[in-house]
Amino acid sequence: MLTVDGLIAGYQHGSRVLDGVSFHVRRGEIVALMGRNGMGKTTVLRAITGHLPAAKGTIALDGEEILGRASHEIANRGVGYVPQGREIFDDFTTEENLLMGVIGKKGLPNKVPDWAYEIFPMLRERRWQRAGTLSGGQQQQLAILRALVGEPKLLLLDEPSEGVQPSIVQEIARTLRRTVLEKTLTVLLVEQNLELVLGMASRFLFMENGRVVDEAPVHLVRPGSEFVQKYLSV
């Protein structure tokens, strides 16, 4: 599904946040990209989506090279992105924000699909409410749903638990897991909340200093395990 090979990228000319990132995500997998702050996890997602140009390497989606393409082209090829901080439109209503997820997508009508509000029913009650007045958890649900209505085959999630109260985090995790299975999505997840990741992912990739340096199946990654101590503990 997704193959990243030798990816080098940074935010200034000549800088290297990513220093040869390589990994593969199989179709239908939920893979967690983990590591301490500043290791390049968000940068990987931004490079995949075309929001950050890369200096070198390849990124292939279903065998097709997408590195160097515009972000809207990558989205139209089936990549959905929920950025860190959500980046919803505060002055738009819930419904208008969701419309932004389908506008311009080939083969999709310019309307919110009927099934959308079944995923997060609370948003149906707030469909005409300005998004900036929603709670943090509701805004995160909106950001996730905005990506899902575009019917991606690969979903990239960056810190979906950030700024969300624990009870809502678990609700979001359960809903995401169910939706991913129902729609046979492939997911690459960046997240600091280990409990959320353990409830979703099947495999972990660990980053250090701009590279993927290790991986492990979910059953080997538990609080206090050698992987957590080596790659996640401060």
Side-chain angles (χ1 to χ4, degrees):
M1 163 61 80
L2 175 69
T3 301
V4 177
D5 187 28
L7 184 63
I8 295 174
Y11 292 94
Q12 297 179 2
H13 181 68
S15 71
R16 285 193 178 188
V17 176
L18 305 181
D19 191 19
V21 170
S22 298
F23 63 90
H24 179 70
V25 180
R26 295 180 288 272
R27 185 178 304 278
E29 269 196 307
I30 303 176
V31 173
L33 186 62
M34 305 288 284
R36 297 179 183 89
N37 288 335
M39 294 301 169
K41 305 182 298 295
T42 291
T43 306
V44 170
L45 300 190
R46 289 178 55 80
I48 293 171
T49 58
H51 290 91
L52 178 71
K56 190 176 180 181
T58 63
I59 302 174
L61 183 67
D62 283 337
E64 179 184 9
E65 179 64 62
I66 60 173
L67 186 65
R69 294 188 179 275
S71 57
H72 71 274
E73 292 181 296
I74 294 171
N76 278 327
R77 279 168 170 73
V79 178
Y81 180 38
V82 181
Q84 186 177 20
R86 300 182 276 270
E87 296 184 12
I88 62 171
F89 297 95
D90 287 348
D91 291 332
F92 286 14
T93 65
T94 295
E95 180 90 356
E96 289 167 338
N97 268 277
L98 293 178
L99 279 171
M100 298 302 293
V102 297
I103 290 176
K105 292 290 182 69
K106 293 179 180 178
L108 295 182
N110 288 335
K111 68 174 186 176
V112 178
D114 294 336
W115 54 260
Y117 291 112
E118 295 174 8
I119 295 177
F120 294 117
M122 187 171 290
L123 293 179
R124 186 191 303 275
E125 304 168 15
R126 292 162 174 77
R127 64 191 303 174
W128 307 120
Q129 184 174 331
R130 282 200 312 114
T133 65
L134 299 174
S135 69
Q138 291 163 354
Q139 289 183 4
Q140 187 63 67
Q141 291 174 347
L142 175 57
I144 293 169
L145 194 54
R146 181 179 60 186
L148 291 175
V149 296
E151 299 191 11
K153 53 187 176 182
L154 171 66
L155 181 64
L156 308 178
L157 296 167
D158 195 356
E159 303 285 359
S161 76
E162 185 178 62
V164 181
Q165 66 187 62
S167 61
I168 301 299
V169 167
Q170 294 310 311
E171 178 187 342
I172 288 174
R174 287 192 298 269
T175 302
L176 265 174
R177 178 72 178 179
R178 184 179 67 250
T179 303
V180 165
L181 292 173
E182 288 174 353
K183 294 184 173 294
T184 321
L185 293 174
T186 303
V187 178
L188 182 60
L189 167 67
V190 169
E191 176 57 67
Q192 295 291 338
N193 186 320
L194 184 59
E195 185 178 358
L196 182 152
V197 177
L198 289 173
M200 288 189 63
S202 58
R203 185 162 58 97
F204 285 68
L205 302 172
F206 296 100
M207 287 193 70
E208 275 198 339
N209 302 318
R211 305 187 75 176
V212 173
V213 295
D214 209 344
E215 67 174 284
V218 66
H219 70 273
L220 293 182
V221 184
R222 289 292 182 269
S225 69
E226 63 173 297
F227 292 102
V228 170
Q229 293 178 10
K230 186 174 183 179
Y231 299 116
L232 303 179
S233 296
V234 178

